[in-house]
Amino acid sequence: MHAVLDTDEQLAKRVLDEEDAINELQLEVDDRVVQLLALHQLMAADLRFVLAVSRINNDLERIGDQAVNIAQGALRILRHPG
């Protein structure tokens, strides 16, 4: 949104450039959650924490996807103002 408001195409492009990093981090966290669940017998509190991390990780990745959609829309607006 700031890219449109500030007429800053580079800001929108930076968001797009970071998408791969977000996706890689999501996969890394997912792998670590699976390792914890597979290799350790977690007690109730630890299990709840690990499951919460997994859910939050998924939500953060979806937020990143939405940021990409917004950045793509911002680029369209900036290139064709109207």
Side-chain angles (χ1 to χ4, degrees):
M1 298 305 301
H2 284 286
V4 173
L5 295 173
D6 299 337
T7 319
D8 186 352
E9 189 172 322
Q10 292 304 314
L11 184 57
K13 288 181 179 180
R14 276 194 7 230
V15 171
L16 297 176
D17 290 343
E18 294 298 321
E19 180 184 18
D20 289 338
I22 291 170
N23 292 338
E24 286 177 29
L25 286 170
Q26 190 239 354
L27 292 174
E28 182 181 334
V29 170
D30 277 348
D31 287 344
R32 289 183 184 198
V33 165
V34 169
Q35 284 178 349
L36 282 170
L37 293 173
L39 300 175
H40 302 281
Q41 294 180 338
L42 301 175
M43 302 305 278
D46 294 331
L47 182 57
R48 283 192 295 271
F49 177 76
V50 169
L51 292 176
V53 166
S54 181
R55 289 185 187 136
I56 292 167
N57 184 45
N58 186 49
D59 290 343
L60 290 174
E61 197 276 333
R62 287 187 359 213
I63 291 168
D65 289 343
Q66 290 299 321
V68 166
N69 293 339
I70 292 168
Q72 289 170 338
L75 288 174
R76 283 192 298 276
I77 290 169
L78 291 171
R79 291 178 182 155
H80 306 287

